[in-house]
C-alpha cells in the first residue's frame, strides 16, 4: 500500500519495534482525538462511544506494553456509526473529520494488538490524509506539514514532550474544523 507517511518515518517504524510503533500511533491518535470528541460531544446516544474513544486514547499511551484488550476495543470502535457503510457517503464537514478520527483510533488499536507496521502506517496515513484535506479547504492552515513534523518527532521516544505537542496540535485542528462548520 502506498502511504503519505514519509519514507524516513516508515523505515524508522519498521526498525523500531513494538514500543516505537505504539508511541507513534498513540501520538497520531491524540492529535486526532479532538476531532471526534469535540464534534460528537452532546450528540444524542453517543455517550458510550465517547467514553470508549476517550478511554482508548488514554490507554494507548501505555506504550511499554500492548493493550491486553485491544481486540475488544477494536470491535467496539468498528460499531461506531462513522465506520458503518452508508449509500450516500460522508458529505458533512463534522462527519468527515469525526470519521478520520475514528479510523485513526481503529488503526492505533490494531497496532497495539498486533504490532503491525502496516497498521501503524495506516494510522499515520489517516492523520495525514485528514490534515491534507483540511489544508486544501482552509487557506494557510499548515496542518499537513505540522503532522509530518510531529510524526518525525514521535520517533525520538520522548512521550511527555510528544504528548504536549500532540494535545496542542489537536486543539488547533479542532478550532480549524469548527471554523468550517456552518453557522
Amino acid at each position: 500500500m502506498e502511504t503519505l507517511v514519509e519514507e524516513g518515518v516508515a523505515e524508522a517504524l519498521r526498525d523500531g519495534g513494538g514500543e516505537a510503533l505504539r508511541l507513534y500511533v498513540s501520538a497520531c491518535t491524540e492529535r486526532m482525538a479532538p476531532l471526534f470528541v469535540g464534534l460528537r460531544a452532546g450528540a444524542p446516544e453517543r455517550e458510550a462511544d465517547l467514553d470508549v474513544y476517550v478511554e482508548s486514547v488514554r490507554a494507548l499511551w501505555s506504550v511499554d506494553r500492548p493493550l491486553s484488550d485491544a481486540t475488544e476495543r477494536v470491535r467496539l470502535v468498528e460499531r461506531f456509526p462513522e465506520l458503518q457503510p452508508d449509500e450516500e457517503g460522508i458529505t458533512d464537514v463534522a462527519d468527515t473529520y469525526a470519521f478520520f478520527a475514528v479510523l485513526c483510533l481503529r488503526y492505533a488499536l490494531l497496532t497495539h494488538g498486533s504490532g503491525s507496521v502496516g497498521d501503524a502506517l495506516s494510522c499515520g496515513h489517516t492523520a495525514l490524509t485528514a490534515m491534507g484535506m483540511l489544508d486544501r479547504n482552509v487557506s494557510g492552515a499548515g496542518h499537513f506539514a505540522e503532522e509530518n513534523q510531529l510524526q518525525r518527532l514521535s520517533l525520538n521516544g520522548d512521550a511527555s514532550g510528544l504528548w504536549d505537542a500532540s494535545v496542542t496540535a489537536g486543539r488547533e485542528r479542532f478550532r480549524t474544523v469548527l471554523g468550517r462548520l456552518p453557522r
Side-chain angles (χ1 to χ4, degrees):
M1 173 184 121
E2 190 173 328
T3 178
L4 294 175
V5 176
E6 291 180 352
E7 185 53 40
V9 171
E11 190 164 317
L13 290 173
R14 286 186 206 100
D15 296 342
E19 193 167 327
L21 292 172
R22 291 187 295 272
L23 180 60
Y24 173 81
V25 300
S26 299
C28 286
T29 307
E30 185 70 48
R31 292 188 292 274
M32 296 296 288
L35 298 178
F36 179 76
V37 175
L39 295 170
R40 295 301 186 237
E45 301 179 19
R46 296 305 302 269
E47 295 86 8
D49 293 346
L50 284 161
D51 289 345
V52 167
Y53 196 100
V54 169
E55 176 51 36
S56 293
V57 172
R58 183 180 305 117
L60 287 171
W61 283 100
S62 297
V63 298
D64 59 327
R65 64 194 178 286
L67 291 174
S68 61
D69 63 348
T71 302
E72 175 61 18
R73 288 177 189 267
V74 168
R75 190 182 65 71
L76 292 171
V77 167
E78 286 178 341
R79 292 181 180 169
F80 284 19
E82 289 79 7
L83 297 183
Q84 301 309 307
D86 183 346
E87 288 182 20
E88 295 178 22
I90 301 172
T91 57
D92 178 79
V93 172
D95 291 347
T96 298
Y97 293 102
F99 162 77
F100 281 122
V102 171
L103 189 59
C104 191
L105 175 62
R106 178 185 177 272
Y107 282 124
L109 291 168
L110 287 169
T111 301
H112 256 261
S114 68
S116 165
V117 173
D119 288 335
L121 291 172
S122 292
C123 182
H125 177 84
T126 299
L128 287 164
T129 299
M131 294 306 96
M133 277 182 59
L134 191 54
D135 283 359
R136 280 191 299 280
N137 290 300
V138 178
S139 179
H143 295 295
F144 183 85
E146 179 186 51
E147 179 61 27
N148 266 318
Q149 175 191 10
L150 290 169
Q151 286 189 17
R152 286 188 301 273
L153 179 65
S154 72
L155 303 173
N156 77 10
D158 179 15
S160 65
L162 181 59
W163 184 83
D164 290 339
S166 295
V167 167
T168 300
R171 287 180 185 151
E172 288 305 313
R173 293 169 185 192
F174 179 60
R175 283 187 196 109
T176 302
V177 170
L178 281 179
R180 293 209 56 241
L181 296 178
R183 300 194 194 278

